[in-house]
Amino acid sequence: MEPSTDPAAEPDAAPAPAAGPEPSRRTPRVHYGWIVVAVSLVVLIGSAGFRSTPSLMMDALHDEFGWSRATISSAVSVNLALYGLTAPFAAALMDRFGVRLVVVCALLTIATGAGLTMLMTRPWQLVLCWGVLVGLGSGSMAGAFATTVSGRWFEARQGLVTGVLTAAGAAGNLVFMPLLAALVEHQGWRTAVVVVSLCATAVAVPVLLLMRERPSDVGQLPYGATTAPPPPAVDGSAVARSLRVLRLAARARAFWLLAGSFAICGATTVGLVGTHFIPAAHDHGMPVTTGASLLALIGVFDIAGTVASGWFTDRFDSTRLLITYYALRGLSLAFLPALFGQSLRPPILAFVVFYGLDWVATVPPTVALCRRHFGADAPIVFGWVLAAHQVGAAVVAGLAGLARDGFGDYDGTWYAAGGLCAVAVGCCLALRGPGRAAAAGA
């Protein structure tokens, strides 16, 4: 008010219009959160494509080294287990050291693991390179990463953003699997792993250039927010915080129901279909490239299904969505053994469409339930729930390989997976109780 009453201040008041553009700088036409989402999509697409490569190399490694499918599957099992077990610690590390640093280190770890694979001659080396190194790297960019990004940058549209980022996994299969399958078949598996290593290194570049930690770094509020969120309180080591959150969350019944149902989700997706669909189709005379194309096509419909699931999660009860998803998945897996054939036929294409729409549609409502029950600790809690998902995937990936070696086919595993989905439906029904779990941070 003083400049308008003091004549001496009038000359200094003249430049005031120059400050006019400042609000537009704080609220640009495109919220920076969408740029962060775009960078995250590139990271997650690459991570998913890199992680799925061993299923394409299974027959090639068996032919060159004479390793059994159970032996090769053991590397996949270690990869899947570490992918999940790394997630809760990665979420805490992102809070303490920043998303950009954690993601760049993870991508370089994947590049190192994939590159060293071309020198291997023993099964333990496959487990070390693809199981441990690629598992740790990809696990650092698992679902906790998507949960962290959507939680920090968005107050509105959190379900939709989570669905879009989750769908990036399917997009990774769509982009990389046909290409890598062709490389494995025509140029050899070593060429494929070199491509993975180079791509992982290249993906680190946009992360370094464009990733920002929080909306406050660019002078913005989270998308849809009207007030600034409280500053993050991060103290103590990331490991200690992750374990503390687990200890508190484990007191809640909701945590065990979410972890149990999500373990079955992992078992019936990446553990079984993601790892063994291609060799199972090959058992029925289907070429590896055709099987890989079908798995990639599952990814096409998975993108649509997961984005739609995010939209549904913003509008409908998450528990009911999960019940529907697991029931439909169980039915599709129970019918799968009768649908395989030497060529593409309408029944197997129908399975691809139906199952693809359901593949990871479970993620947005599971994340929403973690936020509902555990509040600010949801990213770390979801990391532990995701760990259960990947342990389930790892166990089934190994058991399915053993079943194939022992029985000569995968039929029994598909029926067992359908039964597991019925158990997941039961877990979700139990989540419908009237009470809510206490927030882990309470």
Side-chain angles (χ1 to χ4, degrees):
M1 298 294 293
E2 285 187 358
S4 62
T5 59
D6 185 359
E10 288 298 325
D12 294 334
E22 187 169 335
S24 64
R25 188 168 63 248
R26 290 194 300 267
T27 55
R29 183 173 299 177
V30 177
H31 191 278
Y32 201 85
W34 296 113
I35 297 175
V36 172
V37 168
V39 175
S40 303
L41 276 173
V42 173
V43 170
L44 293 170
I45 286 171
S47 176
F50 307 151
R51 194 177 66 252
S52 61
T53 306
S55 65
L56 300 172
M57 303 191 302
M58 195 171 291
D59 289 328
L61 295 177
H62 173 73
D63 293 340
E64 179 170 338
F65 297 108
W67 301 338
S68 69
R69 287 174 176 80
T71 298
I72 300 169
S73 296
S74 66
V76 179
S77 294
V78 172
N79 178 293
L80 293 172
L82 287 178
Y83 176 87
L85 293 172
T86 305
F89 300 103
L93 286 170
M94 288 175 187
D95 281 343
R96 186 165 183 78
F97 299 108
V99 173
R100 179 163 53 183
L101 178 62
V102 172
V103 171
V104 168
C105 290
L107 288 166
L108 295 180
T109 302
I110 290 175
T112 301
L116 290 175
T117 306
M118 65 181 298
L119 304 176
M120 70 182 178
T121 57
R122 297 288 187 272
W124 68 266
Q125 295 166 339
L126 175 66
V127 173
L128 174 63
C129 293
W130 215 276
V132 176
L133 292 179
V134 177
L136 287 173
S138 57
S140 298
M141 301 176 294
F145 172 46
T147 308
T148 298
V149 169
S150 61
R152 286 185 183 181
W153 286 89
F154 293 84
E155 184 168 303
R157 304 289 187 266
Q158 282 188 349
L160 178 62
V161 171
T162 303
V164 169
L165 293 178
T166 304
N173 288 335
L174 172 64
V175 171
F176 281 96
M177 290 200 73
L179 170 63
L180 293 175
L183 287 174
V184 169
E185 183 167 343
H186 300 295
Q187 303 295 327
W189 62 269
R190 288 178 178 83
T191 301
V193 298
V194 169
V195 169
V196 167
S197 182
L198 294 175
C199 288
T201 304
V203 168
V205 176
V207 177
L208 284 170
L209 295 177
L210 299 173
M211 181 62 73
R212 298 292 182 271
E213 298 301 327
R214 299 178 185 276
S216 57
D217 294 344
V218 292
Q220 294 182 345
L221 298 175
Y223 182 86
T226 56
T227 58
V234 179
D235 41 351
S237 73
V239 172
R241 184 179 178 219
S242 298
L243 294 176
R244 183 175 67 252
V245 170
L246 172 63
R247 185 179 68 253
L248 294 171
R251 299 174 183 173
R253 175 170 169 264
F255 173 80
W256 295 106
L257 293 172
L258 287 168
S261 61
F262 217 45
I264 293 172
C265 177
T268 54
T269 52
V270 291
L272 183 55
V273 175
T275 305
H276 294 282
F277 180 86
I278 295 172
H282 190 57
D283 284 347
H284 290 265
M286 185 177 291
V288 171
T289 51
T290 304
S293 297
L294 284 177
L295 196 56
L297 189 60
I298 286 176
V300 175
F301 290 98
D302 182 21
I303 294 171
T306 308
V307 173
S309 179
W311 188 87
F312 292 148
T313 301
D314 287 331
R315 290 161 175 80
F316 303 107
D317 179 67
S318 296
T319 308
R320 292 184 179 180
L321 291 175
L322 288 178
I323 292 169
T324 303
Y325 296 156
Y326 285 123
L328 294 176
R329 181 183 300 175
L331 287 173
S332 65
L333 289 172
F335 281 106
L336 181 57
L339 306 181
F340 280 122
Q342 295 183 359
S343 59
L344 294 178
R345 297 180 300 172
I348 192 67
L349 292 175
F351 169 83
V352 165
V353 174
F354 191 80
Y355 182 85
L357 290 171
D358 191 270
W359 174 279
V360 287
T362 54
V363 174
T366 301
V367 170
L369 288 171
C370 285
R371 288 198 179 104
R372 178 191 303 175
H373 289 286
F374 302 102
D377 286 328
I380 297 177
V381 173
F382 180 70
W384 286 112
V385 172
L386 180 64
H389 179 282
Q390 294 306 118
V391 169
V395 170
V396 168
L399 290 178
L402 288 171
R404 171 62 179 79
D405 289 339
F407 299 108
D409 60 44
Y410 286 99
D411 289 0
T413 61
W414 305 120
Y415 299 132
L420 284 175
C421 288
V423 176
V425 169
C427 290
C428 296
L429 285 170
L431 271 170
R432 297 183 65 186
R436 286 185 178 183

